[in-house]
PDB file of all heavy atoms in Angstrom:
ATOM      1  N   VAL A  78      -4.451 -19.444  16.584  1.00  0.00           N
ATOM      2  CA  VAL A  78      -3.789 -18.766  15.352  1.00  0.00           C
ATOM      3  C   VAL A  78      -2.658 -19.510  14.870  1.00  0.00           C
ATOM      4  O   VAL A  78      -2.376 -19.860  13.775  1.00  0.00           O
ATOM      5  CB  VAL A  78      -3.544 -17.260  15.481  1.00  0.00           C
ATOM      6  CG1 VAL A  78      -2.688 -16.647  14.438  1.00  0.00           C
ATOM      7  CG2 VAL A  78      -4.950 -16.514  15.668  1.00  0.00           C
ATOM      8  N   LEU A  79      -1.688 -19.762  15.935  1.00  0.00           N
ATOM      9  CA  LEU A  79      -0.429 -20.445  15.481  1.00  0.00           C
ATOM     10  C   LEU A  79      -0.667 -21.895  15.059  1.00  0.00           C
ATOM     11  O   LEU A  79       0.170 -22.534  14.252  1.00  0.00           O
ATOM     12  CB  LEU A  79       0.556 -20.307  16.727  1.00  0.00           C
ATOM     13  CG  LEU A  79       1.008 -18.823  17.094  1.00  0.00           C
ATOM     14  CD1 LEU A  79       1.864 -18.855  18.448  1.00  0.00           C
ATOM     15  CD2 LEU A  79       1.638 -18.255  16.009  1.00  0.00           C
ATOM     16  N   ASP A  80      -1.487 -22.612  15.626  1.00  0.00           N
ATOM     17  CA  ASP A  80      -1.784 -23.899  15.242  1.00  0.00           C
ATOM     18  C   ASP A  80      -2.300 -24.104  13.764  1.00  0.00           C
ATOM     19  O   ASP A  80      -2.014 -25.208  13.191  1.00  0.00           O
ATOM     20  CB  ASP A  80      -2.857 -24.561  16.205  1.00  0.00           C
ATOM     21  CG  ASP A  80      -2.308 -25.104  17.504  1.00  0.00           C
ATOM     22  OD1 ASP A  80      -1.007 -25.152  17.704  1.00  0.00           O
ATOM     23  OD2 ASP A  80      -3.064 -25.425  18.439  1.00  0.00           O
ATOM     24  N   ARG A  81      -2.726 -23.055  13.212  1.00  0.00           N
ATOM     25  CA  ARG A  81      -3.086 -23.021  11.815  1.00  0.00           C
ATOM     26  C   ARG A  81      -2.025 -22.881  10.814  1.00  0.00           C
ATOM     27  O   ARG A  81      -2.116 -23.009   9.684  1.00  0.00           O
ATOM     28  CB  ARG A  81      -4.212 -21.954  11.556  1.00  0.00           C
ATOM     29  CG  ARG A  81      -5.411 -22.169  12.366  1.00  0.00           C
ATOM     30  CD  ARG A  81      -6.450 -21.077  12.100  1.00  0.00           C
ATOM     31  NE  ARG A  81      -7.713 -21.423  12.837  1.00  0.00           N
ATOM     32  CZ  ARG A  81      -8.572 -20.653  13.260  1.00  0.00           C
ATOM     33  NH1 ARG A  81      -8.349 -19.234  12.889  1.00  0.00           N
ATOM     34  NH2 ARG A  81      -9.635 -20.845  13.915  1.00  0.00           N
ATOM     35  N   LEU A  82      -0.856 -22.592  11.423  1.00  0.00           N
ATOM     36  CA  LEU A  82       0.350 -22.274  10.541  1.00  0.00           C
ATOM     37  C   LEU A  82       1.328 -23.384  10.558  1.00  0.00           C
ATOM     38  O   LEU A  82       1.278 -24.263  11.629  1.00  0.00           O
ATOM     39  CB  LEU A  82       1.074 -21.029  11.142  1.00  0.00           C
ATOM     40  CG  LEU A  82       0.253 -19.680  11.110  1.00  0.00           C
ATOM     41  CD1 LEU A  82       1.101 -18.612  11.807  1.00  0.00           C
ATOM     42  CD2 LEU A  82      -0.101 -19.362   9.680  1.00  0.00           C
ATOM     43  N   SER A  83       2.153 -23.557   9.645  1.00  0.00           N
ATOM     44  CA  SER A  83       3.287 -24.470   9.747  1.00  0.00           C
ATOM     45  C   SER A  83       4.178 -24.199  10.713  1.00  0.00           C
ATOM     46  O   SER A  83       4.131 -23.052  11.285  1.00  0.00           O
ATOM     47  CB  SER A  83       4.005 -24.508   8.453  1.00  0.00           C
ATOM     48  OG  SER A  83       4.840 -23.384   8.152  1.00  0.00           O
ATOM     49  N   ALA A  84       4.946 -25.143  11.302  1.00  0.00           N
ATOM     50  CA  ALA A  84       5.902 -24.963  12.325  1.00  0.00           C
ATOM     51  C   ALA A  84       6.847 -23.722  12.070  1.00  0.00           C
ATOM     52  O   ALA A  84       7.109 -22.929  12.842  1.00  0.00           O
ATOM     53  CB  ALA A  84       6.713 -26.065  12.635  1.00  0.00           C
ATOM     54  N   ALA A  85       7.273 -23.571  10.776  1.00  0.00           N
ATOM     55  CA  ALA A  85       8.197 -22.505  10.348  1.00  0.00           C
ATOM     56  C   ALA A  85       7.537 -21.186  10.525  1.00  0.00           C
ATOM     57  O   ALA A  85       8.175 -20.243  11.008  1.00  0.00           O
ATOM     58  CB  ALA A  85       8.756 -22.725   8.880  1.00  0.00           C
ATOM     59  N   TRP A  86       6.196 -21.091  10.107  1.00  0.00           N
ATOM     60  CA  TRP A  86       5.592 -19.804  10.025  1.00  0.00           C
ATOM     61  C   TRP A  86       5.151 -19.532  11.578  1.00  0.00           C
ATOM     62  O   TRP A  86       5.085 -18.309  11.974  1.00  0.00           O
ATOM     63  CB  TRP A  86       4.393 -19.765   9.107  1.00  0.00           C
ATOM     64  CG  TRP A  86       4.941 -19.513   7.656  1.00  0.00           C
ATOM     65  CD1 TRP A  86       5.061 -20.343   6.618  1.00  0.00           C
ATOM     66  CD2 TRP A  86       5.506 -18.150   7.224  1.00  0.00           C
ATOM     67  NE1 TRP A  86       5.714 -19.710   5.584  1.00  0.00           N
ATOM     68  CE2 TRP A  86       5.928 -18.388   5.971  1.00  0.00           C
ATOM     69  CE3 TRP A  86       5.681 -16.996   7.890  1.00  0.00           C
ATOM     70  CZ2 TRP A  86       6.508 -17.458   5.179  1.00  0.00           C
ATOM     71  CZ3 TRP A  86       6.131 -15.958   7.061  1.00  0.00           C
ATOM     72  CH2 TRP A  86       6.649 -16.187   5.781  1.00  0.00           C
ATOM     73  N   ALA A  87       4.830 -20.458  12.237  1.00  0.00           N
ATOM     74  CA  ALA A  87       4.370 -20.281  13.660  1.00  0.00           C
ATOM     75  C   ALA A  87       5.586 -19.784  14.458  1.00  0.00           C
ATOM     76  O   ALA A  87       5.482 -18.733  15.149  1.00  0.00           O
ATOM     77  CB  ALA A  87       3.940 -21.540  14.316  1.00  0.00           C
ATOM     78  N   ALA A  88       6.778 -20.161  14.150  1.00  0.00           N
ATOM     79  CA  ALA A  88       7.982 -19.711  14.846  1.00  0.00           C
ATOM     80  C   ALA A  88       8.223 -18.284  14.356  1.00  0.00           C
ATOM     81  O   ALA A  88       8.685 -17.377  15.259  1.00  0.00           O
ATOM     82  CB  ALA A  88       9.248 -20.569  14.448  1.00  0.00           C
ATOM     83  N   ARG A  89       8.102 -18.007  13.155  1.00  0.00           N
ATOM     84  CA  ARG A  89       8.188 -16.625  12.678  1.00  0.00           C
ATOM     85  C   ARG A  89       7.401 -15.601  13.356  1.00  0.00           C
ATOM     86  O   ARG A  89       7.659 -14.595  13.827  1.00  0.00           O
ATOM     87  CB  ARG A  89       8.252 -16.529  11.101  1.00  0.00           C
ATOM     88  CG  ARG A  89       9.235 -17.189  10.444  1.00  0.00           C
ATOM     89  CD  ARG A  89       9.074 -17.079   8.827  1.00  0.00           C
ATOM     90  NE  ARG A  89      10.130 -17.655   8.173  1.00  0.00           N
ATOM     91  CZ  ARG A  89      10.086 -18.953   7.658  1.00  0.00           C
ATOM     92  NH1 ARG A  89       8.905 -19.611   7.692  1.00  0.00           N
ATOM     93  NH2 ARG A  89      11.104 -19.386   6.966  1.00  0.00           N
ATOM     94  N   VAL A  90       6.059 -15.966  13.423  1.00  0.00           N
ATOM     95  CA  VAL A  90       5.090 -15.105  14.108  1.00  0.00           C
ATOM     96  C   VAL A  90       5.552 -14.917  15.576  1.00  0.00           C
ATOM     97  O   VAL A  90       5.510 -13.825  16.054  1.00  0.00           O
ATOM     98  CB  VAL A  90       3.643 -15.547  13.817  1.00  0.00           C
ATOM     99  CG1 VAL A  90       2.661 -14.885  14.781  1.00  0.00           C
ATOM    100  CG2 VAL A  90       3.321 -15.622  12.534  1.00  0.00           C
TER     101      VAL A  90
END
Side-chain angles (χ1 to χ4, degrees):
V78 169
L79 294 175
D80 279 349
R81 293 178 180 157
L82 302 171
S83 69
W86 281 105
R89 288 179 180 102
V90 170

